[in-house]
Amino acid sequence: MLAYLVIREGLKWADVFRLVPGQAVTIGRAPTNQIVIKDERCSRCHAEVFFSENQWTLRDLDSRNGTVIANARVRGDCILQPGDIVRIGQSQLRFVHDLSKAFTETNSPALGPLVGLEDETATGPLATDDSSVLALHEPATITHRRGQTKFLEPREAEETALPKLGRAAASLCRLAFELAQAPDIIAIADLALAGLFTGTQVDAGALLVLPRHYQGEPNSIDLEIVATRTDSSLPYHRVSGFLASTVLREGEAVLARNVMGDSTLGSRDSKGVVDATSVICAPIRRGKRILGLLHLYATNDERVPDPDDLEFTLAVADTVAVALDNLERREELAENLNQIRDENLQLRERLGAQSEIVGSSVAMARVAQEIARAAPSRATVLIRGESGVGKELVARAAHYSSPRRKGPFVCLNCAALSRSLLASELFGHEQGAFTGATQRKIGKFEAAHEGTLMLDEIGEMSPAIQAKFLRVLEGHPFERVGGTESVKVDVRVIAATNRDLERDVSEGRFRRDLYFRLRVLEIVVPALRKRVEDIPELAHYFLQRFNSETGRKLRGFTPQAMELMRKYRWPGNVRELKNVVERAVVLARGEFIEHDDLTLSQISTAGDTGDFQPAQAQFRPASLADIERQHILATLVATNWNKSQTSALLGIERSTLDRKIRRYELIEEHRKAAP
């Protein structure tokens, strides 16, 4: 079925568009449409025409100003009939099947006469009441479009025709826009002075401000020059103290004329003669708060500022005050943002310290529960475990889970320092306390004030330091080494050790009272060999970590490598596992870590007895008599040859023990071993 849209723009038919079934036609202002109507009241995508169920249908695409057919605005879909006139803005589209009949009804009063068709006399469907339809459906008209205002661009040719007040208003508008974009106070000062030199009759000036967060009554002495400008050969001279104090005190802008020779209002040259003929000084104020001054003056008799210049300077000063206030707020926001970023970084570090406690075994779950119970308390915590199990991580987790999390966490290894150095590190020292003490030093106790102090390897602390340490734990003040001033701190102490403190107490190497003072709360961290189920999780954690650090992309461990790690006793615990995985990541040749990439030691663990054999040691057959002989001898040596205690431990009679000693000739071997 042939169909056409005959397009009329204004008083002329502009084009004919053929409609093809199966092809939708869009109408709008955008150039991507098939029918483009250059009318401000036409939307970018205004309407579409499509063939459906053997009929041509018009659909309005939610246009802003609407589409009109037969005196009615189109709502949704409308079936087109031959002769229908579609009104879009000031344009008309006539729908016909026969192109020869497109112009038979076009000389209606509503449509107006058409050029070249004056002989046509028929009237169209809108002839009688088209004007009323236009009144009902007349949309809002867009008359002008512009991307940028001219008031923010200097136009000297246009502004010369404006009165002085209009030029000042335009300059002030542009200046306010530029000041709002200034990145710092120097840029604000330069823009303000440039605008003032253009809008007033001055040739020298400066912007002076009070220090940030200034307290008390404004004082001219505290004014700091931010920027100066001069168009004369003479340098800028600072505003007199009298004039500045007057403006700061009264909060009003002043204009002083004929001040030649008046040293109280003007500015002196190098010979002491005042060279300013007129001076303007305006306060930069934000509400009741004065931020600074604008100081301007003229040295040329031909450039005399007037009251309008004073008004303009005061307006610029108030605009500068808003810009300075906004700049101060931006700087405060930036400082707060930096502080928040630092806090977030610290929180991430703290979270990282806690998240490094890797393991989902029952033993580690019990440790996590003990940390959660100990964290809210102020009591001293004693963390026990073999070397390398992660005692420091447990201490960090306890600190960052406690109310002291915002305070410092200070760690000190007692085994790494001598007696004198340990005292200095713990309690600090005064200048000259000993050779090399060139200045006062704050000790770890003072550094950890309102936080947590972790003392690793507490069992290595000398008895002399233990006594002083105990007094501090009990809340007594202490003195720095070589000092007499008492220092009192609020510190929670977490101690850690891999020693058997009970044995040290019984042998006199560790103070009994200090032991009980430290062991208020106790957390025992299990050795890695006692939580074998955590080995794969730890291994993969370290693998991902070292993959990220080295840039490698190893995919994991082979089953043989993982099985070897499971069976290994790990005498160095998690620290050894970490180092083994790091070495394997560096040296691995394939995508997976093989069992031969793992370098394991032959050292026995701290909890192993003499029957432990390294993983790769060969079995040595022995008779029961040899094993019994070795066991009885080892027990006698352990009891210092106390036969009664030995027989009790072995579960045999004393007479039986004597017979075995004679049978195995243990006395002779004991004599040979004695010095």
Side-chain angles (χ1 to χ4, degrees), residues 34-318:
Q34 284 83 359
I35 299 178
V36 179
I37 297 179
K38 298 179 179 179
D39 191 328
E40 296 292 347
R41 287 186 287 186
C42 178
S43 300
R44 295 181 60 84
C45 293
H46 196 101
E48 66 175 343
V49 178
F50 56 92
F51 191 73
S52 176
E53 298 181 356
N54 295 324
Q55 292 178 323
W56 287 99
T57 304
L58 173 72
R59 175 181 295 166
D60 185 85
L61 300 177
D62 296 326
S63 61
R64 181 175 183 273
N65 297 317
T67 305
V68 177
I69 298 179
N71 304 339
R73 184 166 179 169
V74 175
R75 306 289 182 184
D77 295 349
C78 178
I79 298 175
L80 293 176
Q81 302 296 333
D84 282 348
I85 295 179
V86 181
R87 300 285 306 268
I88 297 177
Q90 298 295 332
S91 302
Q92 305 162 9
L93 296 87
R94 189 162 199 174
F95 175 76
V96 295
H97 289 305
D98 187 354
L99 193 58
S100 62
K101 298 180 180 181
F103 309 103
T104 58
E105 300 176 347
T106 55
N107 279 343
S108 67
L111 297 177
L114 298 179
V115 178
L117 297 175
E118 291 84 353
D119 55 335
E120 299 290 347
T121 59
T123 59
L126 301 179
T128 58
D129 58 351
D130 187 58
S131 60
S132 62
V133 174
L134 289 176
L136 289 174
H137 301 286
E138 185 67 22
T141 303
I142 300 175
T143 59
H144 295 82
R145 292 177 182 271
R146 186 172 178 84
Q148 188 174 0
T149 175
K150 67 180 181 180
F151 293 107
L152 299 180
E153 301 175 358
R155 298 174 179 268
E156 297 181 0
E158 295 181 5
E159 291 185 358
T160 52
L162 296 175
K164 184 176 181 179
L165 183 61
R167 294 197 302 271
S171 299
L172 189 62
C173 178
R174 286 194 297 270
L175 180 60
F177 182 76
E178 293 172 349
L179 289 175
Q181 297 178 327
D184 51 46
I185 190 172
I186 302 297
I188 291 176
D190 291 339
L191 288 171
L193 292 175
L196 287 167
F197 274 52
T198 303
T200 60
Q201 299 295 315
V202 297
D203 52 21
L207 188 147
L208 304 90
V209 298
L210 292 169
R212 187 178 177 184
H213 305 303
Y214 186 83
Q215 300 293 332
E217 293 295 327
N219 193 324
S220 61
I221 300 177
D222 298 325
L223 288 171
E224 301 175 358
I225 298 177
V226 177
T228 63
R229 176 168 174 168
T230 177
D231 289 347
S232 64
S233 58
L234 298 174
Y236 166 78
H237 294 285
R238 185 183 175 94
V239 60
S240 68
F242 174 80
L243 181 60
S245 299
T246 302
V247 174
L248 291 174
R249 181 179 64 255
E250 299 179 0
E252 294 181 344
V254 298
L255 168 62
R257 292 180 177 175
N258 301 322
V259 296
M260 183 68 69
D262 186 355
S263 61
T264 62
L265 294 179
S267 303
R268 297 179 180 270
D269 63 10
S270 59
K271 298 180 180 180
V273 179
V274 177
D275 52 21
T277 60
S278 299
V279 177
I280 293 178
C281 193
I284 301 173
R285 59 197 175 188
R286 188 64 172 150
K288 295 182 179 180
R289 178 189 173 197
I290 295 182
L291 307 177
L293 296 176
L294 275 174
H295 175 225
L296 307 170
Y297 59 86
T299 59
N300 190 341
D301 293 337
E302 297 178 358
R303 297 173 62 88
V304 180
D306 55 24
D308 289 339
D309 293 334
L310 179 64
E311 291 280 354
F312 183 74
T313 303
L314 186 58
V316 171
D318 289 343

Side-chain angles (χ1 to χ4, degrees), residues 464-505:
I465 303 298
Q466 292 177 24
K468 189 173 182 179
F469 177 57
L470 177 60
R471 285 186 54 82
V472 179
L473 278 183
E474 293 177 344
H476 296 284
F478 62 91
E479 298 173 354
R480 302 185 188 95
V481 177
T484 57
E485 179 185 356
S486 295
V487 180
K488 187 174 178 62
V489 293
D490 176 19
V491 174
R492 183 188 189 182
V493 173
I494 298 179
T497 184
N498 61 356
R499 295 176 60 93
D500 186 352
L501 290 184
E502 288 81 1
R503 175 181 294 181
D504 291 344
V505 169

Side-chain angles (χ1 to χ4, degrees), residues 381-551:
V381 180
L382 179 61
I383 303 176
R384 309 182 70 161
E386 297 178 9
S387 178
V389 295
K391 296 187 290 297
E392 183 177 344
L393 292 180
V394 174
R396 287 182 180 273
H399 167 73
Y400 291 124
S401 301
S402 71
R404 297 172 176 264
R405 66 178 65 92
K406 294 184 179 180
F409 177 82
V410 180
C411 185
L412 177 64
N413 191 331
C414 299
L417 301 171
S418 64
R419 171 183 170 181
S420 58
L421 289 179
L422 181 58
S424 174
E425 286 293 323
L426 279 176
F427 309 111
H429 63 253
E430 298 289 348
Q431 182 178 0
F434 50 84
T435 303
T438 58
Q439 59 184 358
R440 171 186 286 185
K441 178 180 179 180
I442 300 300
K444 300 299 184 184
F445 266 106
E446 291 182 77
H449 180 60
E450 296 184 348
T452 303
L453 173 62
M454 180 199 173
L455 297 177
D456 199 7
E457 305 296 346
I458 190 69
E460 306 296 334
M461 184 181 290
S462 65
I465 303 298
Q466 292 177 24
K468 189 173 182 179
F469 177 57
L470 177 60
R471 285 186 54 82
V472 179
L473 278 183
E474 293 177 344
H476 296 284
F478 62 91
E479 298 173 354
R480 302 185 188 95
V481 177
T484 57
E485 179 185 356
S486 295
V487 180
K488 187 174 178 62
V489 293
D490 176 19
V491 174
R492 183 188 189 182
V493 173
I494 298 179
T497 184
N498 61 356
R499 295 176 60 93
D500 186 352
L501 290 184
E502 288 81 1
R503 175 181 294 181
D504 291 344
V505 169
S506 64
E507 296 177 356
R509 289 194 296 267
F510 198 82
R511 292 179 62 98
R512 181 181 299 271
D513 47 2
L514 178 58
Y515 168 75
F516 290 115
R517 186 64 181 82
L518 290 174
R519 194 173 175 266
V520 178
L521 298 174
E522 186 177 53
I523 299 177
V524 179
V525 185
L528 184 57
R529 64 182 176 277
K530 296 182 179 179
R531 49 187 182 106
V532 179
E533 57 269 34
D534 289 336
I535 292 177
E537 188 175 353
L538 284 164
H540 284 97
Y541 171 79
F542 290 127
L543 175 63
Q544 294 177 4
R545 174 176 171 179
F546 294 122
N547 266 343
S548 176
E549 292 182 2
T550 61

